[in-house]
Amino acid sequence: MKCQFCEKPATFHITELTEPAGPQVMHLCEEHAKGFLNKEASPPMTAIASALAKQLGQSGDVLEELDQKECPVCGISFFEFRNSGRLGCPYDYTHFESDLRPLLVNVHDKTEHVGKKPTRSAGTADSLAKMIGLRREMEEAIEREDYERASEIRDEIKAMEDPIAPPSTPSDTQS
């Protein structure tokens, strides 16, 4: 199937359910889909961006400077957060705290979670940030072909994920 606006193959098939007459189906190539999705930003994302700009009362220069701020753990920029509405890791709440606080107050009227929590603990933000850093370090070790270091990091990650299991010894693997 071809794009409705050009001769390229349609790789995005979008169905909009906003029309009272029924669903509107669009077949778009990647280029036209990007344009369509950028101009048709979803209301939650638009609300987040506008609430952030309004709450912080920031001019374009200040907002542009804020967009450059990046998390040292996962590398997500504040600009990426504003566009997607999602943070990259638990440490982002700490790193972007002063910038997120006004947004959270505006959207939720609170800055603390009230409600259900998972039954199993996901760990602290620091331990999760350490795990993310270890995974990144393990990937870098694999790229350098330093497989011994990668296996050490893998074992360290496993120990952090399952602290109840006893560490395996070489005698455990021999039969």
Side-chain angles (χ1 to χ4, degrees):
M1 186 171 288
K2 292 185 180 179
C3 176
Q4 291 177 217
F5 300 105
C6 66
E7 294 297 312
K8 293 179 185 173
T11 54
F12 289 85
H13 308 281
I14 301 170
T15 304
E16 282 193 309
L17 303 174
T18 57
E19 299 295 319
Q24 178 187 6
V25 180
M26 298 182 1
H27 307 285
L28 306 171
C29 66
E30 186 173 348
E31 182 180 322
H32 285 107
K34 282 181 185 176
F36 174 79
L37 294 173
N38 284 338
K39 93 177 151 188
E40 295 287 325
S42 65
M45 297 314 122
T46 306
I48 287 173
S50 64
L52 178 65
K54 182 179 81 176
Q55 187 72 18
L56 297 176
Q58 296 174 335
S59 66
D61 293 337
V62 176
L63 197 55
E64 189 174 311
E65 183 180 316
L66 178 60
D67 284 346
Q68 301 302 317
K69 194 172 179 181
E70 281 189 3
C71 172
V73 177
C74 68
I76 191 172
S77 68
F78 201 76
F79 176 76
E80 291 173 282
F81 160 68
R82 283 194 323 115
N83 286 333
S84 69
R86 294 183 177 192
L87 295 171
C89 72
Y91 186 73
D92 290 344
Y93 287 97
T94 305
H95 185 69
F96 297 120
E97 181 178 9
S98 62
D99 308 312
L100 290 174
R101 186 169 293 281
L103 176 64
L104 292 172
V105 168
N106 189 37
V107 173
H108 299 290
D109 293 328
K110 296 182 181 182
T111 58
E112 292 184 26
H113 175 74
V114 178
K116 292 182 179 181
K117 295 181 180 176
T119 53
R120 69 174 180 92
S121 174
T124 64
D126 290 337
S127 66
L128 292 173
K130 183 177 180 184
M131 258 196 217
I132 291 169
L134 285 171
R135 285 192 179 108
R136 183 180 288 164
E137 187 180 335
M138 182 174 70
E139 289 171 8
E140 290 170 0
I142 291 169
E143 286 177 13
R144 290 190 316 266
E145 296 183 7
D146 185 0
Y147 299 115
E148 289 180 20
R149 177 68 185 136
S151 67
E152 290 171 1
I153 296 169
R154 179 203 61 211
D155 294 342
E156 193 174 339
I157 291 171
K158 281 185 182 178
M160 287 179 72
E161 287 175 340
D162 191 14
I164 299 169
S168 63
T169 60
S171 61
D172 291 345
T173 57
Q174 296 173 357
S175 2

